[in-house]
């Protein structure tokens, strides 16, 4: 096939290939057979190869790199196909760079790399290209079409010089012309390599035509776009020249500055910003001179500058560090919350000693309605700082935190910078409300991750807002985040905050809060404060509202119920003209609020075997919990659990039963009972989900009581987790559980020995009337809780003799 092609091109293809040949890797270019080109030598190893090849007039292989950033390529970094070549001439430029003119020869395929020093040496094989028949009309027509297409592209493109047209028409050999066009057209590296790897020249022609026509279509589209936009550009240039003339005229008459610029410059002189910030502002201010006041860009730039200058750069309010005054304000506004108050007072004490201190990042964690958000106002008042609040609930866009870049239409700063601007100082008390309800990893970014920079004391001294594009110091801001659920906060964000838990209020605390805050506030809200005679709530009536009309850890529902009672009284006062008795008693509460929707459980006695009182913690406080165990004749070995129990509580029941079986002799239980009696454990209020390990000792005692028919000690409740070997483990929510036990009339409480430290932290007033019994094992629990007295009408566990086989 090659013999059909005449001329020097045949000789170029028929080059003898040595066994080992130097390989010159090139970047961002593909050498085609028969095409001459120049390359710039940048590597020392390549320079050595070129010098030696020129001296010896030897053949080299030129292969393209897959990644141009790789400096020391291996075989995997090179494409499979390349070209043989000879060094025509080496030129040294004035700047010392070396350029080499290379003549491409036949096509080769790289088999392996043998050496990589002082340059790449490898083994290649020359691949045969299937040439077209010179009398093939399809080939002749296609090559002419390719030359015309190349002319058309060169005429439309600004990147290829017109001389390339003459070169294409002066190459008489059609195959060389095809390879020249492939090498010099703006195809991608991958596309050129694909064309080089095609064995059939005719197929290479058609693929090249297809790619070139695609490029021509792209040039046509670009030309259409340029024609459509040229008119707009010409109009803008005309406006620009006119604006420059107006500016020059204004300068001549001494009126070259706009009123906006004068106002901004006047405000800038009073700012306390750094030199770097001032330099940035002046640079942005100068842009106003190049913009027409009626253009949209002018208003965008002016808005940016007004936002920039409105920020309190290094402007701080002076802290009042009088600890006695601060404590008085905190105690007046909020009842309880000792841990939070103590932490704020500690911060103020250290600040007064040092004079300068990075603000802590505090997260107040607790149930709704306990006063987390309102506490921020009290802290700001106590320190005489500005107060600002930002709600994060449902936040789903990262730009809400960091702002939008000014390239976007309608761009604005993030809510952090907006809030600082609103506060007017760089050290406000900043409440980040509902931080646990931030949406994570959305299509608009991850707002929770954006908060990492805000809440990191090591980073927030240079907080970067995308709109502002200048670092702003947030290190003096006292950030206080609030959350109801820590599990939804990402771990890195949680790690940056100091967690302070606010537990729910006890009934006693709610009564005090109602007396001090809620009732006076609602008297004013309902207008009853203006009357000479006002409603008076006694302690019993407030307690009834708390116990029977609310189910919450905080006081929001309590406030609503008090407001409802006040509204009823206001309605009666206006309808009847006068109310003779303003004293609110427990009996009159139902007239004002209706029938109570909730009832507290009370102790039910110890007349039944298998009924034991446990203690539970809920999100609205403590509750007492009854564990009931019932026995029924059957095939045995069957345990039934009811009462909407969770997996952990079910496992506790299984553990308790297995422990009772293992220690049946200790309780004087006939082991054969388990083969003939089924055990059913139930926890009342089946509609309420229950879970957790703290009922472990209660369930074990209930099973033991049912199987022995012994009474449980009167007025006794218990809480604690158990292990398979009978060890009692500590549990949480002790304070709430104790208060629930007191309300139910419990006098003795059994706890794990390790929970004794929790009892010591509770105020003694809450512990009056209750005796605590600390245990380490289930045996200790039974020793105290199970009495020797048998219940009335006990079950009979007489078991019939086994069959003869079992006797044997």
């Amino acid at each position: 096939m090659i013999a059909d092609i005449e001329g020097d091109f045949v000789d170029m293809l028929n080059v003898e290939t040595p066994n080992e040949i130097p390989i010159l890797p090139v970047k961002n270019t593909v050498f085609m057979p028969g095409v001459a080109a120049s390359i710039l030598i940048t590597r020392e190893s390549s320079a050595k190869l070129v010098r030696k090849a020129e001296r010896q007039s030897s053949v080299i292989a030129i292969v393209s790199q897959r990644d141009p950033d790789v400096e020391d390529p291996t075989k995997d970094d090179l494409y499979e196909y390349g070209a043989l070549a000879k060094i025509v001439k080496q030129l040294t430029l004035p700047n010392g760079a070396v350029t080499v003119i290379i003549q491409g020869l036949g096509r080769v395929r790289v088999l392996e790399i043998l050496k990589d020093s002082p340059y790449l040496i490898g083994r290649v094989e020359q691949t045969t290209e299937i040439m077209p028949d010179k009398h093939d009309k399809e080939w002749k027509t296609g090559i002419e079409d390719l030359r015309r297409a190349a002319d058309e592209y060169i005429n439309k493109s600004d990147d290829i010089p017109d001389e390339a047209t003459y070169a294409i028409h002066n190459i008489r050999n059609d195959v060389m012309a095809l390879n020249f066009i492939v090498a010099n057209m703006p195809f991608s590296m991958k596309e050129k390599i694909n064309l080089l790897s095609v064995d059939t020249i005719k197929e290479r022609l058609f693929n090249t035509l297809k790619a070139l026509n695609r490029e021509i279509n792209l040039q046509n589209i670009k030309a259409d776009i340029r024609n459509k936009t040229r008119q707009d550009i010409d109009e803008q240039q005309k406006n620009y020249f006119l604006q420059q003339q107006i500016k020059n005229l204004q300068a001549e008459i001494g009126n070259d500055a706009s009123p906006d610029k004068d106002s901004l410059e006047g405000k800038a002189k009073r700012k306390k910003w750094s030199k770097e910030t001032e330099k940035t502002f002046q640079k942005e201010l100068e842009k106003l001179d190049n913009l027409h006041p009626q253009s949209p860009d002018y208003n965008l730039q002016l808005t940016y500058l007004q936002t920039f200058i409105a920020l309190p750069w290094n402007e701080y309010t002076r802290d009042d560090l009088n600890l006695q005054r601060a404590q008085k304000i905190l105690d007046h506004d909020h009842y309880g919350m000792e841990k939070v108050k103590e932490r704020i007072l500690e911060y103020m004490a250290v600040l007064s000693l040092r004079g300068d201190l990075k603000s802590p990042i505090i997260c107040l964690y607790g149930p709704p309605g306990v006063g987390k958000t309102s506490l921020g106002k009290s802290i700001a008042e106590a320190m005489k700082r500005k107060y600002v609040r930002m709600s994060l609930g449902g936040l789903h866009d990262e730009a809400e935190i960091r702002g939008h870049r000014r390239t976007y239409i309608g761009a604005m700063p993030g809510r952090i910078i907006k809030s600082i601007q609103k506060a007017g100082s760089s050290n406000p008390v900043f409440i980040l409300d509902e931080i646990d309800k931030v949406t994570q990893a959305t299509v608009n970014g991850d707002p929770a991750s954006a908060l990492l920079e805000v809440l990191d004391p090591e980073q927030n001294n240079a907080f970067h807002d995308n709109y502002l594009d200048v670092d702003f110091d947030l290190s003096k801001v006292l950030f206080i985040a609030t959350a109801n659920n820590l599990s939804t906060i990402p771990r890195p964000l949680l790690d940056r905050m100091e967690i302070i838990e606010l537990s729910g209020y006890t009934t006693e605390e709610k009564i005090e809060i109602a007396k001090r805050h809620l009732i006076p506030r609602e008297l004013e809200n309902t207008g009853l404060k203006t009357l000479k005679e006002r409603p008076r709530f006694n302690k019993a009536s407030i307690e009834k509202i708390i116990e029977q009309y609310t189910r919450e850890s905080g006081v929001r529902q309590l406030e609503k119920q008090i407001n409802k009672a006040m509204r009823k009284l206001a309605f009666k006062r206006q309808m009847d003209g006068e109310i003779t008795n303003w004293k609110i008693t427990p009996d009159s509460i139902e007239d004002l609020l209706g029938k109570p929707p909730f009832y507290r459980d009370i102790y039910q006695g110890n007349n039944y075997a298998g009924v034991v009182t446990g203690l539970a913690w809920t999100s609205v406080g403590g509750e007492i919990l009854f564990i009931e165990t019932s026995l029924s004749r059957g095939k045995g070995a069957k345990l039934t659990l009811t009462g909407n129990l969770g997996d952990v509580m079910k496992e506790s029941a299984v553990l308790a039963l297995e422990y009772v079986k293992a220690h049946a002799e200790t309780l004087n239980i006939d082991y054969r009972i388990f083969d003939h009696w089924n055990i059913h454990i139930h926890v009342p209020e089946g509609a309420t989900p229950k879970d957790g390990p703290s009922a472990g000792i209660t369930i074990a005692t209930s099973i033991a009581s049912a199987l022995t028919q012994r009474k449980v000690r009167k007025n006794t409740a218990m809480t604690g987790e158990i292990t398979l070997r009978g060890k009692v483990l500590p549990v949480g929510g002790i304070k709430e559980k104790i208060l629930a036990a007191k309300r139910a009339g419990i006098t003795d409480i059994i706890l794990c020995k390790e929970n004794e430290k929790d009892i010591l932290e509770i105020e003694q007033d809450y512990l009056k009337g209750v005796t605590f019994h600390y245990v380490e094992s289930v045996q200790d629990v039974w020793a105290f809780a199970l009495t020797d007295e048998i219940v009335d009408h006990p079950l009979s566990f007489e078991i019939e003799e086994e069959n003869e086989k079992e006797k044997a």
Side-chain angles (χ1 to χ4, degrees):
M1 299 293 289
I2 295 177
D4 293 338
I5 301 297
E6 298 178 356
D8 296 335
F9 186 62
V10 177
D11 298 331
M12 289 182 184
L13 298 180
N14 293 325
V15 177
E16 185 176 348
T17 307
N19 291 331
E20 295 184 6
I21 187 169
I23 296 176
L24 178 64
V26 293
K27 304 176 181 178
N28 301 319
T29 187
V30 177
F31 272 80
M32 300 294 293
V35 178
S38 63
I39 58 173
L40 182 66
I41 303 299
T42 57
R43 297 189 184 100
E44 182 59 32
S45 59
S46 299
K48 290 178 181 178
L49 185 154
V50 168
R51 285 194 293 268
K52 185 174 181 180
E54 186 182 29
R55 283 197 311 269
Q56 298 179 356
S57 298
S58 59
V59 177
I60 64 173
I62 299 182
V63 185
S64 303
Q65 288 185 206
R66 296 179 186 273
D67 185 357
D69 295 329
V70 176
E71 287 302 320
D72 298 310
T74 62
K75 184 177 184 300
D76 293 337
D77 298 317
L78 301 176
Y79 283 106
E80 183 180 7
Y81 285 91
L84 294 174
K86 272 193 173 184
I87 308 295
V88 177
K89 193 171 185 180
Q90 178 177 323
L91 302 173
T92 303
L93 302 180
N95 61 358
V98 177
T99 300
V100 180
I101 299 174
I102 295 178
Q103 174 65 53
L105 303 174
R107 187 182 67 160
V108 294
R109 187 163 65 90
V110 179
L111 300 177
E112 61 178 328
I113 300 295
L114 302 173
K115 298 179 184 177
D116 58 4
S117 178
Y119 43 77
L120 292 180
I121 297 176
R123 194 163 60 83
V124 300
E125 68 172 359
Q126 192 165 2
T127 56
T128 302
E129 295 181 290
I130 302 173
M131 298 295 173
D133 187 341
K134 62 183 179 181
H135 301 296
D136 187 345
K137 292 183 179 180
E138 191 176 27
W139 161 257
K140 285 292 185 183
T141 305
I143 201 70
E144 289 175 7
D145 196 17
L146 180 65
R147 291 180 194 265
R148 282 196 299 271
D151 287 347
E152 182 181 353
Y153 181 82
I154 292 169
N155 291 332
K156 291 183 177 182
S157 174
D158 298 330
D159 300 328
I160 301 177
D162 295 337
E163 289 78 6
T165 304
Y166 302 111
I168 292 171
H169 287 285
N170 286 333
I171 300 174
R172 301 199 175 195
N173 188 285
D174 292 338
V175 178
M176 288 182 68
L178 168 62
N179 288 345
F180 180 82
I181 291 170
V182 171
N184 290 282
M185 287 295 119
F187 304 147
S188 66
M189 283 285 295
K190 189 174 182 181
E191 197 165 23
K192 287 184 178 181
I193 290 293
N194 288 339
L195 291 170
L196 176 62
S197 63
V198 173
D199 295 330
T200 305
I201 297 296
K202 192 173 178 181
E203 184 182 350
R204 183 183 298 169
L205 167 66
F206 294 144
N207 291 345
T208 306
L209 264 173
K210 189 185 300 182
L212 190 54
N213 285 326
R214 182 196 66 218
E215 295 296 328
I216 291 171
N217 288 334
L218 288 175
Q219 287 293 336
N220 291 334
I221 293 171
K222 289 179 182 178
D224 290 342
I225 294 172
R226 279 198 297 270
N227 291 333
K228 290 177 183 177
T229 57
R230 184 175 290 118
Q231 185 176 356
D232 294 337
I233 293 171
D234 292 343
E235 187 68 26
Q236 289 175 10
Q237 289 176 342
K238 176 183 174 182
N239 291 336
Y240 174 74
F241 290 130
L242 289 174
Q243 288 169 17
Q244 289 298 110
Q245 291 177 358
I246 293 170
K247 182 180 176 183
N248 294 335
L249 290 172
Q250 288 177 337
E252 287 291 329
I253 62 176
N255 185 28
D256 57 336
S258 68
D260 294 322
K261 186 176 179 182
D262 291 340
S263 173
L264 291 169
E265 285 179 335
K267 293 177 181 178
K269 291 176 182 178
R270 299 190 292 272
K271 285 294 174 182
K272 302 176 183 178
W273 46 32
S274 64
K275 290 183 179 179
E276 185 180 346
T277 306
E278 183 179 7
K279 183 180 178 182
T280 303
F281 177 78
Q282 292 298 335
K283 181 181 176 182
E284 295 291 336
L285 187 62
E286 288 172 3
K287 293 180 181 178
L288 280 181
D289 296 334
N290 300 324
L291 298 171
H292 191 275
Q294 301 301 321
S295 70
D297 290 341
Y298 181 89
N299 289 324
L300 292 174
Q301 185 67 12
L302 181 61
T303 302
Y304 170 76
L305 290 168
Q306 288 172 340
T307 302
F308 196 105
I309 207 162
L311 286 169
W313 298 94
N314 297 323
E315 296 175 20
Y316 305 103
T317 55
R318 188 171 181 178
D319 291 333
D320 187 336
L321 302 177
N322 186 325
L323 298 183
Q324 287 76 19
R325 174 184 170 277
Q327 186 165 19
K328 185 177 179 182
I329 290 173
L330 294 173
D331 289 340
H332 176 268
D333 292 346
H334 290 82
Y335 183 79
M337 297 188 178
E338 301 304 328
K339 288 184 180 179
V340 189
K341 294 176 184 176
E342 185 179 350
R343 180 65 183 89
I344 297 301
L345 293 173
E346 287 172 359
Y347 166 67
M348 293 174 64
V350 175
L351 188 61
S352 64
L353 291 173
R354 281 196 53 176
D356 183 29
L357 184 65
K358 284 185 178 179
S359 296
I361 312 295
I362 296 172
C363 179
L364 305 181
Y365 151 62
V370 296
K372 300 183 295 295
T373 305
S374 61
L375 185 64
K377 284 187 179 180
S378 299
I379 293 171
E381 184 184 352
M383 299 182 70
K384 288 191 176 178
R385 286 193 180 188
K386 297 293 182 65
Y387 168 81
V388 65
R389 173 183 166 274
M390 173 180 167
S391 178
L392 298 175
L395 192 73
H396 66 279
D397 191 349
E398 181 184 338
E400 292 280 333
I401 306 295
R402 287 205 179 107
H404 304 81
R405 299 190 184 280
R406 283 192 287 156
T407 52
Y408 294 105
I409 295 174
M412 57 180 138
R415 291 172 65 183
I416 298 290
I417 291 296
K418 275 186 179 179
S419 299
I420 294 294
Q421 180 181 338
K422 178 182 175 183
S425 76
S426 293
N427 65 335
V429 174
F430 201 127
I431 301 296
L432 296 170
D433 212 7
E434 311 291 359
I435 197 171
D436 56 326
K437 296 173 182 63
V438 176
T439 307
Q440 298 176 35
T442 67
V443 292
N444 298 317
D446 190 350
S449 297
L451 283 171
L452 293 177
E453 182 185 4
V454 178
L455 299 181
D456 192 337
E458 301 301 323
Q459 298 181 43
N460 64 8
N461 61 337
F463 172 69
H464 189 85
D465 184 272
N466 291 329
Y467 179 82
L468 205 60
D469 207 21
V470 179
D471 291 342
F472 192 88
D473 186 3
L474 298 177
S475 61
K476 302 296 189 298
V477 178
L478 178 55
F479 285 105
I480 300 177
T482 69
N484 301 127
N485 185 5
L486 295 183
S487 63
T488 59
I489 303 176
R491 193 70 200 174
L493 185 59
L494 200 63
D495 185 57
R496 283 163 168 79
M497 299 186 291
E498 182 180 341
I499 308 297
I500 300 178
E501 183 177 359
L502 300 181
S503 58
Y505 293 119
T506 64
T507 300
E508 289 76 5
E509 288 171 334
K510 289 180 182 180
I511 291 171
E512 286 298 320
I513 292 170
K515 286 181 179 179
R516 297 185 186 189
H517 303 286
L518 304 184
I519 292 175
R521 186 190 304 165
E522 294 309 321
L523 281 172
E524 186 171 351
N525 290 342
T526 54
L528 296 175
K529 188 177 180 180
T530 59
L531 301 178
K532 187 176 180 180
E533 288 287 332
R534 302 171 191 168
R536 299 184 301 277
F537 288 80
N538 59 25
K539 182 178 178 181
S541 60
I542 298 173
E543 186 173 356
K544 182 170 183 177
I545 296 175
I546 295 167
E547 298 288 346
Q548 299 184 19
Y549 289 87
T550 65
R551 267 289 191 274
E552 59 176 346
S553 294
V555 291
R556 280 205 184 107
Q557 295 301 321
L558 175 59
E559 184 176 13
K560 290 178 181 177
Q561 294 299 331
I562 292 173
N563 177 270
K564 182 178 179 181
M566 298 282 193
R567 293 199 313 269
K568 287 282 187 181
L569 290 170
F571 174 75
K572 288 183 178 180
R573 165 72 168 71
Q574 295 305 105
M575 286 293 291
D576 300 339
E578 191 60 49
I579 296 177
T580 55
N581 185 10
W582 286 96
K583 186 176 182 181
I584 311 300
T585 63
D587 295 332
S588 61
I589 287 293
E590 291 192 18
D591 296 334
L592 298 173
L593 301 180
K595 293 294 182 182
F598 306 112
Y599 291 94
R600 291 283 184 184
D601 290 324
I602 59 172
Y603 179 67
Q604 296 180 356
N606 65 341
N607 295 325
Y608 297 95
V611 179
V612 182
T613 306
L615 298 174
W617 179 91
T618 68
S619 60
V620 296
E623 297 283 351
I624 65 169
L625 196 70
F626 298 106
I627 306 293
E628 302 175 351
T629 300
S630 174
L631 303 176
S632 60
R633 289 184 182 274
K635 295 181 180 180
K638 181 182 178 183
L639 174 64
T640 304
L641 301 171
T642 56
N644 203 350
L645 309 184
D647 290 339
V648 177
M649 201 165 182
K650 288 178 180 178
E651 290 174 359
S652 294
V654 174
L655 278 173
L657 179 58
E658 291 302 318
Y659 183 81
V660 172
K661 287 181 178 180
H663 297 80
E665 291 184 6
T666 307
L667 296 168
N668 294 322
I669 298 173
D670 189 338
Y671 72 91
R672 292 175 297 175
I673 288 177
F674 300 107
D675 295 329
H676 297 276
W677 292 79
N678 294 327
I679 299 175
H680 185 153
I681 299 174
H682 176 69
V683 185
E685 296 187 24
T688 306
K690 310 166 193 72
D691 203 2
S694 63
I697 62 173
T698 315
I699 297 172
T701 306
S702 175
I703 295 172
S705 172
L707 292 172
T708 60
Q709 295 295 294
R710 292 160 62 182
K711 286 186 176 182
V712 177
R713 189 177 295 273
K714 197 172 183 181
N715 297 322
T716 298
M718 59 191 72
T719 181
E721 181 181 354
I722 63 169
T723 67
L724 191 58
R725 54 196 173 92
K727 182 176 174 60
V728 180
L729 302 180
V731 292
I734 296 299
K735 179 182 175 183
E736 289 81 1
K737 291 177 179 179
I738 291 171
L739 294 168
K742 283 187 67 177
R743 287 193 297 268
I746 299 297
T747 58
D748 293 273
I749 298 178
I750 301 174
L751 296 169
C752 174
K753 178 70 175 174
E754 294 180 34
N755 279 126
E756 188 174 4
K757 63 181 185 300
D758 300 309
I759 301 297
L760 298 176
E761 293 180 0
I762 301 174
E763 295 180 24
Q764 291 300 314
D765 292 342
Y766 298 145
L767 306 179
K768 289 180 181 178
V770 180
T771 304
F772 297 97
H773 305 274
Y774 302 107
V775 296
E776 295 182 347
S777 68
V778 177
Q779 296 292 339
D780 298 338
V781 177
W782 290 343
F784 177 80
L786 292 178
T787 66
D788 294 331
E789 185 180 357
I790 304 298
V791 298
D792 297 336
H793 312 295
L795 290 176
S796 175
F797 294 111
E798 292 182 4
I799 300 171
E800 298 178 359
E801 292 297 324
E802 302 294 335
N803 56 43
E804 293 180 3
K805 183 179 178 181
E806 188 172 342
K807 286 180 183 178

